[in-house]
Amino acid sequence: MITGELKSQIDQIWNTFWTGGISNTITIVEQLTYLIFIKDLDETETRNERMSKRLDKEFTPIFGADQQDFRWKNLKEMDVNERHSIFSNTVDGIFPFIRSLGSEKSLFSTYMKGATFGISKPAVLDQVMEKLERLDMSNQDIKGDIYEYLLSKLEGGGTAGQFRTPRHIIKMMVHMMQPTLEDTISDPAAGTAGFLVAAKEYIDKHYDVTELDKHREHINKHMFSGSEFDATMLRIASMNLFLHGVEEPKIIDVDAVSKDNSISDAYTLILANPPFKGTIDKESIAPGLRNVTDTTKTELLFLALMLRQLKKGGRAAVVVPDGVLFGSGKAHKNIREEIVANHKLEAVISLPSGIFKPYSGVSTAIIIFTKTDNGGTDNVWFYDMLADGKSLDDKRNLLVDADIFEAFSFGDVDVSLSAVEDLKNLHDKFNLPDVIKRFASLRDTKQSPEVKRKRTEQSFLVPFKEIKANDWDLSINRYKEIVYEEVEYDAPLDILKKIEKLNSEKMSINDKLSKLL
């Protein structure tokens, strides 16, 4: 969780760009990303040098003998104008060097070809680097928080309904899906690669160094994939993953639901928040997707795409607008029937309606399913998530302690921990730990407490037959039972007698006061 001090430092850097004449949000994020990337490369090189000396083991340096001026530690000691010339040199400068990173013809090096230096004033570069130097990014988690805060500046609804998923919701979804070292993970609407980075962080945390080293090539080249058609997002996503230890992420430049994307049966896990309320030209849509759901709506087409791209047995956790769950159109019903009847729908988690504020008030849910090609849905788990630990107004302030928010959200602490005095009060503000715990219990269906939960509770199971009978409706309100507390009122004549008695007492008091006066 980013602290107020760190946030203030980043905001000061942001203001430096503004006062220096650079006001475009994407340009600022992109230039800051490059600078953080350059700084991180030098820190990585320094760590490798120390490790090499300690273990007396050779390593392949990032910076060659003639590229030492590109190292952050040397750049910050230079004269202002000399440093700026190294950045702005389009032939032998630092940006041609950045564009050459990664193996030859790698996707990373391909997308970095568009990376250009955009700070025209030497003084602005000097001030920004000076302020970046004060940021402590030695801790990977803090670095991730800083980068997430930078990327949050990009938040906002796009023309196709794109907006970033809150980080804690991403991490909740990742913890529910529990990615492994054997997985091939994709986000077909990658954006800044938030889901893929969270999956990498989860894997780093849950496996030891020996296991990670054994799977290093798989992690670097095969584990993480995605698609994105915005050139800036491609570069930011690639650098985001590179900074998190994925050297060759496969973030391809393609409109995911178009004819140009032919990927199928490729992934074991998909994590995504595809665009809402977007449309695509009918002639551009991949024919196979329209066979599943004949529509131009992106939120439906992406679900059909995921079914195509998953391997048999592959799983998906996807954020969808509520309309997908209960829309009465033929395309909506077709995609729901496809997932429930022909594959295995496991869960529908209804999210609080203000979760994307202040950028959107759209109501959303998470659906979790497994590709089977032969059905398998028996009972679908519904959870009515009422609170995510933040206020549901435009300010989205934390309602619980920041440390508890982080620890309880993401499995660092047992949710039954007695050290937290008022778990009931915590749950009223913060459902994430409960969602993760209850979903995990479903793996043992016979012993899971969810089997005995009533429809009046926050989570419960609904059998396949009932969903089919309700025309494949997946909205939680269709199945949730609301108990109204009966209130007994006095009879009208009794109420009138009480009023007359009160009036009489009032007149008596007035008479006594009059006599006293």
Side-chain angles (χ1 to χ4, degrees):
M1 179 63 62
I2 192 165
T3 64
E5 182 182 356
L6 272 174
K7 187 176 178 181
S8 176
Q9 286 177 297
I10 297 167
D11 287 341
Q12 288 175 26
I13 295 172
W14 199 268
N15 289 334
T16 301
F17 277 99
W18 273 78
T19 56
I22 303 173
S23 57
N24 183 281
T25 302
I26 291 180
T27 301
I28 297 173
V29 170
E30 197 169 25
Q31 294 303 308
L32 274 173
T33 298
Y34 296 149
L35 292 173
I36 291 172
F37 182 61
I38 292 163
K39 188 173 187 289
D40 191 80
L41 285 176
D42 185 38
E43 291 171 355
T44 301
E45 185 86 325
T46 300
R47 285 195 300 271
N48 288 341
E49 289 171 342
R50 290 172 181 167
M51 188 67 70
S52 176
K53 288 180 181 179
R54 189 180 306 133
L55 301 177
D56 192 24
K57 185 178 178 181
E58 291 186 2
F59 75 100
T60 303
I62 299 170
F63 301 89
D66 57 346
Q67 296 163 338
Q68 293 301 304
D69 283 348
F70 300 160
R71 297 186 65 168
W72 184 271
K73 66 178 183 179
N74 296 326
L75 285 165
K76 68 182 183 181
E77 301 298 330
M78 291 180 184
D79 172 80
V80 174
N81 292 314
E82 180 186 2
R83 179 197 300 134
H84 190 268
S85 68
I86 287 177
F87 273 92
S88 57
N89 187 327
T90 58
V91 179
D92 302 314
I94 195 165
F95 270 74
F97 164 70
I98 290 176
R99 293 194 291 268
S100 70
L101 290 174
S103 62
E104 187 178 355
K105 296 182 180 179
S106 70
L107 288 172
F108 180 84
S109 60
T110 299
Y111 299 142
M112 291 307 293
K113 285 179 180 177
T116 56
F117 183 54
I119 305 174
S120 60
K121 298 178 182 178
V124 173
L125 175 63
D126 182 55
Q127 292 173 44
V128 170
M129 286 188 65
E130 182 184 346
K131 289 180 171 66
L132 276 177
E133 182 63 21
R134 296 175 195 165
L135 290 177
D136 179 13
M137 291 190 283
S138 56
N139 181 289
Q140 184 63 59
D141 289 336
I142 293 175
K143 187 186 298 178
D145 287 339
I146 289 172
Y147 199 69
E148 283 295 325
Y149 180 61
L150 276 179
L151 295 182
S152 74
K153 302 283 191 179
L154 294 173
E155 286 182 336
T159 55
Q162 303 103 320
F163 36 81
R164 292 185 63 251
T165 315
R167 190 178 179 213
H168 59 294
I169 299 300
I170 289 176
K171 294 180 83 171
M172 180 188 79
M173 291 168 66
V174 169
H175 274 73
M176 292 173 76
M177 302 311 290
Q178 298 183 359
T180 71
L181 283 169
E182 282 69 41
D183 275 318
T184 48
I185 307 168
S186 178
D187 179 354
T192 59
F195 278 102
L196 300 179
V197 166
K200 174 61 163 57
E201 289 175 335
Y202 180 93
I203 287 168
D204 286 345
K205 185 175 180 179
H206 287 81
Y207 292 91
D208 60 35
V209 176
T210 303
E211 282 295 304
L212 292 171
D213 283 344
K214 285 181 182 177
H215 292 79
R216 183 58 53 195
E217 184 172 356
H218 177 60
I219 292 170
N220 281 336
K221 296 182 178 181
H222 309 294
M223 180 176 282
F224 300 99
S225 303
S227 54
E228 177 58 54
F229 60 84
D230 183 282
T232 300
M233 292 299 105
L234 281 166
R235 286 194 290 274
I236 290 176
S238 296
M239 280 189 288
N240 199 5
L241 283 162
F242 192 94
L243 290 172
H244 283 84
V246 183
E247 293 178 6
E248 300 288 341
K250 294 183 176 179
I251 311 296
I252 62 173
D253 181 7
V254 69
D255 186 341
V257 295
S258 71
K259 296 176 181 177
D260 297 328
N261 186 3
S262 59
I263 296 172
S264 62
D265 301 310
Y267 310 119
T268 62
L269 176 60
I270 287 178
L271 298 158
N273 178 10
F276 303 162
K277 299 180 182 178
T279 58
I280 183 172
D281 179 66
K282 186 175 286 189
E283 300 304 316
S284 302
I285 301 170
L289 305 185
R290 290 184 59 194
N291 291 339
V292 177
T293 176
D294 191 3
T295 182
T296 59
K297 295 180 181 295
T298 54
E299 63 265 34
L300 303 180
L301 291 169
F302 266 94
L303 291 174
L305 173 72
M306 292 170 199
L307 289 172
R308 191 188 78 191
Q309 291 192 334
L310 284 170
K311 293 181 178 181
K312 191 172 181 178
R315 305 158 295 146
V318 191
V319 179
V320 297
D322 274 3
V324 171
L325 306 179
F326 57 77
S328 58
K330 185 178 179 181
H332 286 83
K333 291 181 182 179
N334 284 351
I335 192 64
R336 294 197 301 265
E337 181 178 0
E338 176 68 22
I339 293 172
V340 179
N342 298 330
H343 302 279
K344 181 178 175 61
L345 178 64
E346 297 174 45
V348 178
I349 299 104
S350 176
L351 297 174
S353 60
I355 210 158
F356 287 106
K357 284 186 175 180
Y359 309 103
S360 174
V362 64
S363 295
T364 55
I366 298 166
I367 62 171
I368 297 174
F369 58 88
T370 300
K371 179 178 178 177
T372 65
D373 288 331
N374 59 359
T377 303
D378 45 12
N379 291 291
V380 177
W381 184 66
F382 285 82
Y383 190 103
D384 192 7
M385 187 171 156
L386 302 173
D388 71 332
K390 294 185 175 185
S391 63
L392 297 175
D393 55 18
D394 286 354
K395 292 183 179 179
R396 295 289 279 147
N397 295 322
L398 267 179
L399 300 177
V400 296
D401 179 82
D403 291 335
I404 290 177
F405 180 80
E406 286 288 309
F408 271 70
S409 288
F410 314 126
D412 293 339
V413 197
D414 185 345
V415 292
S416 65
L417 191 63
S418 60
V420 177
E421 295 178 1
D422 192 352
L423 284 174
K424 174 63 170 65
N425 185 48
L426 178 66
H427 176 75
D428 288 343
K429 301 174 182 176
F430 190 34
N431 296 165
L432 273 69
D434 194 51
V435 174
I436 294 169
K437 179 184 179 183
R438 291 187 180 280
F439 182 75
S441 78
L442 293 169
R443 292 184 179 88
D444 185 355
T445 53
K446 292 182 180 179
Q447 298 297 322
S448 175
E450 299 305 291
V451 174
K452 297 180 180 179
R453 299 268 283 183
K454 298 178 180 178
R455 299 285 179 91
T456 54
E457 298 184 83
Q458 199 166 359
S459 62
F460 51 84
L461 292 167
V462 177
F464 169 85
K465 288 183 179 179
E466 188 173 348
I467 292 173
K468 182 179 180 180
N470 278 293
D471 212 9
W472 312 106
D473 193 315
L474 297 176
S475 56
I476 192 168
N477 291 331
R478 168 70 70 174
Y479 307 103
K480 189 176 180 66
E481 294 177 6
I482 300 174
V483 177
Y484 297 97
E485 186 177 346
E486 186 176 351
V487 179
E488 292 187 5
Y489 297 98
D490 292 336
L493 287 175
D494 292 337
I495 294 172
L496 284 172
K497 287 178 181 179
K498 288 180 180 179
I499 292 173
E500 289 173 357
K501 183 180 178 182
L502 288 171
N503 286 335
S504 176
E505 291 174 352
K506 178 182 176 183
M507 293 298 293
S508 175
I509 292 170
N510 286 340
D511 290 341
K512 290 178 181 179
L513 285 172
S514 296
K515 290 176 180 179
L516 288 173
L517 295 172

PDB file of all heavy atoms in Angstrom, residues 210-235:
ATOM      1  N   THR A 210      14.764 -22.241  -5.828  1.00  0.00           N
ATOM      2  CA  THR A 210      15.179 -23.426  -6.591  1.00  0.00           C
ATOM      3  C   THR A 210      14.127 -23.796  -7.639  1.00  0.00           C
ATOM      4  O   THR A 210      14.442 -24.057  -8.802  1.00  0.00           O
ATOM      5  CB  THR A 210      15.409 -24.621  -5.648  1.00  0.00           C
ATOM      6  OG1 THR A 210      16.380 -24.261  -4.667  1.00  0.00           O
ATOM      7  CG2 THR A 210      15.905 -25.828  -6.434  1.00  0.00           C
ATOM      8  N   GLU A 211      12.868 -23.804  -7.210  1.00  0.00           N
ATOM      9  CA  GLU A 211      11.779 -24.136  -8.131  1.00  0.00           C
ATOM     10  C   GLU A 211      11.652 -23.089  -9.233  1.00  0.00           C
ATOM     11  O   GLU A 211      11.430 -23.412 -10.398  1.00  0.00           O
ATOM     12  CB  GLU A 211      10.460 -24.239  -7.368  1.00  0.00           C
ATOM     13  CG  GLU A 211      10.281 -25.534  -6.603  1.00  0.00           C
ATOM     14  CD  GLU A 211      10.206 -26.724  -7.532  1.00  0.00           C
ATOM     15  OE1 GLU A 211       9.344 -26.730  -8.432  1.00  0.00           O
ATOM     16  OE2 GLU A 211      11.015 -27.658  -7.372  1.00  0.00           O
ATOM     17  N   LEU A 212      11.792 -21.825  -8.860  1.00  0.00           N
ATOM     18  CA  LEU A 212      11.703 -20.745  -9.846  1.00  0.00           C
ATOM     19  C   LEU A 212      12.815 -20.856 -10.884  1.00  0.00           C
ATOM     20  O   LEU A 212      12.593 -20.643 -12.077  1.00  0.00           O
ATOM     21  CB  LEU A 212      11.753 -19.379  -9.153  1.00  0.00           C
ATOM     22  CG  LEU A 212      10.533 -19.019  -8.290  1.00  0.00           C
ATOM     23  CD1 LEU A 212      10.816 -17.757  -7.486  1.00  0.00           C
ATOM     24  CD2 LEU A 212       9.288 -18.830  -9.145  1.00  0.00           C
ATOM     25  N   ASP A 213      14.015 -21.208 -10.424  1.00  0.00           N
ATOM     26  CA  ASP A 213      15.154 -21.358 -11.348  1.00  0.00           C
ATOM     27  C   ASP A 213      14.923 -22.504 -12.328  1.00  0.00           C
ATOM     28  O   ASP A 213      15.290 -22.416 -13.504  1.00  0.00           O
ATOM     29  CB  ASP A 213      16.446 -21.587 -10.561  1.00  0.00           C
ATOM     30  CG  ASP A 213      16.983 -20.305  -9.949  1.00  0.00           C
ATOM     31  OD1 ASP A 213      16.548 -19.216 -10.382  1.00  0.00           O
ATOM     32  OD2 ASP A 213      17.818 -20.380  -9.028  1.00  0.00           O
ATOM     33  N   LYS A 214      14.321 -23.580 -11.858  1.00  0.00           N
ATOM     34  CA  LYS A 214      14.041 -24.724 -12.731  1.00  0.00           C
ATOM     35  C   LYS A 214      13.095 -24.339 -13.869  1.00  0.00           C
ATOM     36  O   LYS A 214      13.169 -24.882 -14.961  1.00  0.00           O
ATOM     37  CB  LYS A 214      13.411 -25.865 -11.922  1.00  0.00           C
ATOM     38  CG  LYS A 214      14.386 -26.631 -11.040  1.00  0.00           C
ATOM     39  CD  LYS A 214      13.634 -27.745 -10.310  1.00  0.00           C
ATOM     40  CE  LYS A 214      14.563 -28.502  -9.370  1.00  0.00           C
ATOM     41  NZ  LYS A 214      13.825 -29.545  -8.605  1.00  0.00           N
ATOM     42  N   HIS A 215      12.216 -23.419 -13.580  1.00  0.00           N
ATOM     43  CA  HIS A 215      11.202 -23.014 -14.566  1.00  0.00           C
ATOM     44  C   HIS A 215      11.520 -21.662 -15.196  1.00  0.00           C
ATOM     45  O   HIS A 215      10.637 -21.027 -15.771  1.00  0.00           O
ATOM     46  CB  HIS A 215       9.826 -22.953 -13.896  1.00  0.00           C
ATOM     47  CG  HIS A 215       9.289 -24.295 -13.477  1.00  0.00           C
ATOM     48  ND1 HIS A 215       9.710 -24.933 -12.334  1.00  0.00           N
ATOM     49  CD2 HIS A 215       8.366 -25.123 -14.065  1.00  0.00           C
ATOM     50  CE1 HIS A 215       9.071 -26.078 -12.224  1.00  0.00           C
ATOM     51  NE2 HIS A 215       8.261 -26.225 -13.252  1.00  0.00           N
ATOM     52  N   ARG A 216      12.770 -21.229 -15.102  1.00  0.00           N
ATOM     53  CA  ARG A 216      13.132 -19.885 -15.543  1.00  0.00           C
ATOM     54  C   ARG A 216      12.802 -19.638 -17.012  1.00  0.00           C
ATOM     55  O   ARG A 216      12.233 -18.604 -17.370  1.00  0.00           O
ATOM     56  CB  ARG A 216      14.638 -19.655 -15.291  1.00  0.00           C
ATOM     57  CG  ARG A 216      15.139 -18.258 -15.646  1.00  0.00           C
ATOM     58  CD  ARG A 216      14.391 -17.177 -14.895  1.00  0.00           C
ATOM     59  NE  ARG A 216      14.387 -17.402 -13.453  1.00  0.00           N
ATOM     60  CZ  ARG A 216      13.574 -16.781 -12.608  1.00  0.00           C
ATOM     61  NH1 ARG A 216      12.680 -15.917 -13.089  1.00  0.00           N
ATOM     62  NH2 ARG A 216      13.622 -17.030 -11.328  1.00  0.00           N
ATOM     63  N   GLU A 217      13.128 -20.572 -17.892  1.00  0.00           N
ATOM     64  CA  GLU A 217      12.859 -20.371 -19.318  1.00  0.00           C
ATOM     65  C   GLU A 217      11.353 -20.295 -19.578  1.00  0.00           C
ATOM     66  O   GLU A 217      10.890 -19.468 -20.370  1.00  0.00           O
ATOM     67  CB  GLU A 217      13.471 -21.490 -20.158  1.00  0.00           C
ATOM     68  CG  GLU A 217      13.288 -21.254 -21.653  1.00  0.00           C
ATOM     69  CD  GLU A 217      14.044 -22.244 -22.517  1.00  0.00           C
ATOM     70  OE1 GLU A 217      14.784 -23.085 -21.960  1.00  0.00           O
ATOM     71  OE2 GLU A 217      13.893 -22.169 -23.744  1.00  0.00           O
ATOM     72  N   HIS A 218      10.585 -21.148 -18.890  1.00  0.00           N
ATOM     73  CA  HIS A 218       9.132 -21.128 -19.041  1.00  0.00           C
ATOM     74  C   HIS A 218       8.570 -19.784 -18.584  1.00  0.00           C
ATOM     75  O   HIS A 218       7.719 -19.188 -19.261  1.00  0.00           O
ATOM     76  CB  HIS A 218       8.515 -22.263 -18.225  1.00  0.00           C
ATOM     77  CG  HIS A 218       7.013 -22.288 -18.251  1.00  0.00           C
ATOM     78  ND1 HIS A 218       6.291 -22.426 -19.409  1.00  0.00           N
ATOM     79  CD2 HIS A 218       6.097 -22.174 -17.244  1.00  0.00           C
ATOM     80  CE1 HIS A 218       4.993 -22.412 -19.128  1.00  0.00           C
ATOM     81  NE2 HIS A 218       4.848 -22.246 -17.822  1.00  0.00           N
ATOM     82  N   ILE A 219       9.068 -19.281 -17.447  1.00  0.00           N
ATOM     83  CA  ILE A 219       8.611 -17.995 -16.914  1.00  0.00           C
ATOM     84  C   ILE A 219       8.958 -16.862 -17.870  1.00  0.00           C
ATOM     85  O   ILE A 219       8.142 -15.985 -18.158  1.00  0.00           O
ATOM     86  CB  ILE A 219       9.226 -17.737 -15.519  1.00  0.00           C
ATOM     87  CG1 ILE A 219       8.658 -18.724 -14.488  1.00  0.00           C
ATOM     88  CG2 ILE A 219       8.969 -16.292 -15.068  1.00  0.00           C
ATOM     89  CD1 ILE A 219       9.371 -18.697 -13.151  1.00  0.00           C
ATOM     90  N   ASN A 220      10.157 -16.875 -18.377  1.00  0.00           N
ATOM     91  CA  ASN A 220      10.637 -15.773 -19.222  1.00  0.00           C
ATOM     92  C   ASN A 220      10.009 -15.738 -20.609  1.00  0.00           C
ATOM     93  O   ASN A 220       9.817 -14.665 -21.180  1.00  0.00           O
ATOM     94  CB  ASN A 220      12.156 -15.857 -19.373  1.00  0.00           C
ATOM     95  CG  ASN A 220      12.885 -15.331 -18.156  1.00  0.00           C
ATOM     96  OD1 ASN A 220      12.354 -14.516 -17.398  1.00  0.00           O
ATOM     97  ND2 ASN A 220      14.114 -15.798 -17.947  1.00  0.00           N
ATOM     98  N   LYS A 221       9.690 -16.903 -21.154  1.00  0.00           N
ATOM     99  CA  LYS A 221       9.299 -16.940 -22.568  1.00  0.00           C
ATOM    100  C   LYS A 221       7.899 -17.478 -22.861  1.00  0.00           C
ATOM    101  O   LYS A 221       7.339 -17.180 -23.923  1.00  0.00           O
ATOM    102  CB  LYS A 221      10.318 -17.772 -23.357  1.00  0.00           C
ATOM    103  CG  LYS A 221      11.715 -17.177 -23.361  1.00  0.00           C
ATOM    104  CD  LYS A 221      12.653 -18.014 -24.203  1.00  0.00           C
ATOM    105  CE  LYS A 221      14.054 -17.405 -24.250  1.00  0.00           C
ATOM    106  NZ  LYS A 221      14.971 -18.207 -25.096  1.00  0.00           N
ATOM    107  N   HIS A 222       7.343 -18.275 -21.962  1.00  0.00           N
ATOM    108  CA  HIS A 222       6.114 -18.979 -22.318  1.00  0.00           C
ATOM    109  C   HIS A 222       4.945 -18.763 -21.357  1.00  0.00           C
ATOM    110  O   HIS A 222       3.793 -18.929 -21.755  1.00  0.00           O
ATOM    111  CB  HIS A 222       6.386 -20.486 -22.421  1.00  0.00           C
ATOM    112  CG  HIS A 222       7.544 -20.832 -23.297  1.00  0.00           C
ATOM    113  ND1 HIS A 222       7.536 -20.591 -24.661  1.00  0.00           N
ATOM    114  CD2 HIS A 222       8.763 -21.376 -23.006  1.00  0.00           C
ATOM    115  CE1 HIS A 222       8.688 -20.984 -25.182  1.00  0.00           C
ATOM    116  NE2 HIS A 222       9.446 -21.449 -24.202  1.00  0.00           N
ATOM    117  N   MET A 223       5.225 -18.445 -20.121  1.00  0.00           N
ATOM    118  CA  MET A 223       4.172 -18.425 -19.103  1.00  0.00           C
ATOM    119  C   MET A 223       3.184 -17.280 -19.284  1.00  0.00           C
ATOM    120  O   MET A 223       1.974 -17.456 -19.098  1.00  0.00           O
ATOM    121  CB  MET A 223       4.787 -18.356 -17.701  1.00  0.00           C
ATOM    122  CG  MET A 223       3.743 -18.334 -16.586  1.00  0.00           C
ATOM    123  SD  MET A 223       4.455 -18.374 -14.929  1.00  0.00           S
ATOM    124  CE  MET A 223       4.853 -20.106 -14.780  1.00  0.00           C
ATOM    125  N   PHE A 224       3.647 -16.094 -19.674  1.00  0.00           N
ATOM    126  CA  PHE A 224       2.807 -14.897 -19.679  1.00  0.00           C
ATOM    127  C   PHE A 224       2.550 -14.379 -21.095  1.00  0.00           C
ATOM    128  O   PHE A 224       3.487 -14.096 -21.834  1.00  0.00           O
ATOM    129  CB  PHE A 224       3.449 -13.810 -18.827  1.00  0.00           C
ATOM    130  CG  PHE A 224       3.633 -14.223 -17.387  1.00  0.00           C
ATOM    131  CD1 PHE A 224       4.865 -14.684 -16.938  1.00  0.00           C
ATOM    132  CD2 PHE A 224       2.571 -14.182 -16.507  1.00  0.00           C
ATOM    133  CE1 PHE A 224       5.033 -15.084 -15.620  1.00  0.00           C
ATOM    134  CE2 PHE A 224       2.724 -14.589 -15.185  1.00  0.00           C
ATOM    135  CZ  PHE A 224       3.954 -15.046 -14.742  1.00  0.00           C
ATOM    136  N   SER A 225       1.277 -14.285 -21.423  1.00  0.00           N
ATOM    137  CA  SER A 225       0.881 -13.824 -22.755  1.00  0.00           C
ATOM    138  C   SER A 225      -0.296 -12.858 -22.643  1.00  0.00           C
ATOM    139  O   SER A 225      -0.946 -12.767 -21.600  1.00  0.00           O
ATOM    140  CB  SER A 225       0.477 -15.003 -23.641  1.00  0.00           C
ATOM    141  OG  SER A 225       1.528 -15.945 -23.747  1.00  0.00           O
ATOM    142  N   GLY A 226      -0.546 -12.169 -23.732  1.00  0.00           N
ATOM    143  CA  GLY A 226      -1.690 -11.271 -23.759  1.00  0.00           C
ATOM    144  C   GLY A 226      -1.778 -10.571 -25.093  1.00  0.00           C
ATOM    145  O   GLY A 226      -0.919 -10.750 -25.968  1.00  0.00           O
ATOM    146  N   SER A 227      -2.817  -9.784 -25.256  1.00  0.00           N
ATOM    147  CA  SER A 227      -2.960  -8.992 -26.481  1.00  0.00           C
ATOM    148  C   SER A 227      -3.393  -7.585 -26.128  1.00  0.00           C
ATOM    149  O   SER A 227      -4.099  -7.357 -25.155  1.00  0.00           O
ATOM    150  CB  SER A 227      -3.972  -9.651 -27.430  1.00  0.00           C
ATOM    151  OG  SER A 227      -5.203  -9.871 -26.784  1.00  0.00           O
ATOM    152  N   GLU A 228      -2.947  -6.649 -26.940  1.00  0.00           N
ATOM    153  CA  GLU A 228      -3.250  -5.227 -26.736  1.00  0.00           C
ATOM    154  C   GLU A 228      -2.950  -4.513 -28.046  1.00  0.00           C
ATOM    155  O   GLU A 228      -1.927  -4.778 -28.672  1.00  0.00           O
ATOM    156  CB  GLU A 228      -2.390  -4.662 -25.606  1.00  0.00           C
ATOM    157  CG  GLU A 228      -2.556  -3.186 -25.342  1.00  0.00           C
ATOM    158  CD  GLU A 228      -4.003  -2.809 -25.010  1.00  0.00           C
ATOM    159  OE1 GLU A 228      -4.585  -3.405 -24.089  1.00  0.00           O
ATOM    160  OE2 GLU A 228      -4.529  -1.908 -25.702  1.00  0.00           O
ATOM    161  N   PHE A 229      -3.853  -3.609 -28.475  1.00  0.00           N
ATOM    162  CA  PHE A 229      -3.620  -2.947 -29.759  1.00  0.00           C
ATOM    163  C   PHE A 229      -3.179  -1.499 -29.626  1.00  0.00           C
ATOM    164  O   PHE A 229      -2.935  -0.834 -30.620  1.00  0.00           O
ATOM    165  CB  PHE A 229      -4.860  -3.040 -30.658  1.00  0.00           C
ATOM    166  CG  PHE A 229      -6.099  -2.419 -30.083  1.00  0.00           C
ATOM    167  CD1 PHE A 229      -6.339  -1.059 -30.202  1.00  0.00           C
ATOM    168  CD2 PHE A 229      -7.016  -3.204 -29.418  1.00  0.00           C
ATOM    169  CE1 PHE A 229      -7.479  -0.495 -29.668  1.00  0.00           C
ATOM    170  CE2 PHE A 229      -8.173  -2.646 -28.882  1.00  0.00           C
ATOM    171  CZ  PHE A 229      -8.395  -1.284 -29.009  1.00  0.00           C
ATOM    172  N   ASP A 230      -3.056  -0.993 -28.390  1.00  0.00           N
ATOM    173  CA  ASP A 230      -2.564   0.362 -28.183  1.00  0.00           C
ATOM    174  C   ASP A 230      -1.047   0.330 -28.026  1.00  0.00           C
ATOM    175  O   ASP A 230      -0.523  -0.358 -27.148  1.00  0.00           O
ATOM    176  CB  ASP A 230      -3.217   0.965 -26.937  1.00  0.00           C
ATOM    177  CG  ASP A 230      -2.795   2.399 -26.700  1.00  0.00           C
ATOM    178  OD1 ASP A 230      -1.676   2.605 -26.191  1.00  0.00           O
ATOM    179  OD2 ASP A 230      -3.576   3.319 -27.023  1.00  0.00           O
ATOM    180  N   ALA A 231      -0.321   1.062 -28.881  1.00  0.00           N
ATOM    181  CA  ALA A 231       1.149   0.993 -28.909  1.00  0.00           C
ATOM    182  C   ALA A 231       1.767   1.397 -27.576  1.00  0.00           C
ATOM    183  O   ALA A 231       2.734   0.776 -27.108  1.00  0.00           O
ATOM    184  CB  ALA A 231       1.681   1.891 -30.031  1.00  0.00           C
ATOM    185  N   THR A 232       1.230   2.438 -26.939  1.00  0.00           N
ATOM    186  CA  THR A 232       1.766   2.881 -25.651  1.00  0.00           C
ATOM    187  C   THR A 232       1.559   1.812 -24.592  1.00  0.00           C
ATOM    188  O   THR A 232       2.465   1.512 -23.808  1.00  0.00           O
ATOM    189  CB  THR A 232       1.093   4.194 -25.211  1.00  0.00           C
ATOM    190  OG1 THR A 232       1.354   5.193 -26.191  1.00  0.00           O
ATOM    191  CG2 THR A 232       1.637   4.657 -23.875  1.00  0.00           C
ATOM    192  N   MET A 233       0.349   1.220 -24.546  1.00  0.00           N
ATOM    193  CA  MET A 233       0.080   0.170 -23.565  1.00  0.00           C
ATOM    194  C   MET A 233       0.965  -1.052 -23.796  1.00  0.00           C
ATOM    195  O   MET A 233       1.395  -1.709 -22.847  1.00  0.00           O
ATOM    196  CB  MET A 233      -1.397  -0.246 -23.634  1.00  0.00           C
ATOM    197  CG  MET A 233      -2.382   0.799 -23.161  1.00  0.00           C
ATOM    198  SD  MET A 233      -2.169   1.272 -21.421  1.00  0.00           S
ATOM    199  CE  MET A 233      -1.394   2.872 -21.606  1.00  0.00           C
ATOM    200  N   LEU A 234       1.252  -1.351 -25.053  1.00  0.00           N
ATOM    201  CA  LEU A 234       2.145  -2.470 -25.353  1.00  0.00           C
ATOM    202  C   LEU A 234       3.512  -2.266 -24.717  1.00  0.00           C
ATOM    203  O   LEU A 234       4.082  -3.183 -24.124  1.00  0.00           O
ATOM    204  CB  LEU A 234       2.295  -2.628 -26.878  1.00  0.00           C
ATOM    205  CG  LEU A 234       1.161  -3.321 -27.623  1.00  0.00           C
ATOM    206  CD1 LEU A 234       1.302  -3.095 -29.116  1.00  0.00           C
ATOM    207  CD2 LEU A 234       1.141  -4.806 -27.306  1.00  0.00           C
ATOM    208  N   ARG A 235       4.045  -1.044 -24.851  1.00  0.00           N
ATOM    209  CA  ARG A 235       5.362  -0.759 -24.278  1.00  0.00           C
ATOM    210  C   ARG A 235       5.316  -0.781 -22.752  1.00  0.00           C
ATOM    211  O   ARG A 235       6.197  -1.348 -22.103  1.00  0.00           O
ATOM    212  CB  ARG A 235       5.875   0.591 -24.775  1.00  0.00           C
ATOM    213  CG  ARG A 235       6.332   0.572 -26.213  1.00  0.00           C
ATOM    214  CD  ARG A 235       7.129   1.806 -26.568  1.00  0.00           C
ATOM    215  NE  ARG A 235       6.304   3.001 -26.626  1.00  0.00           N
ATOM    216  CZ  ARG A 235       5.622   3.388 -27.702  1.00  0.00           C
ATOM    217  NH1 ARG A 235       5.659   2.635 -28.788  1.00  0.00           N
ATOM    218  NH2 ARG A 235       4.910   4.487 -27.697  1.00  0.00           N
TER     219      ARG A 235
END
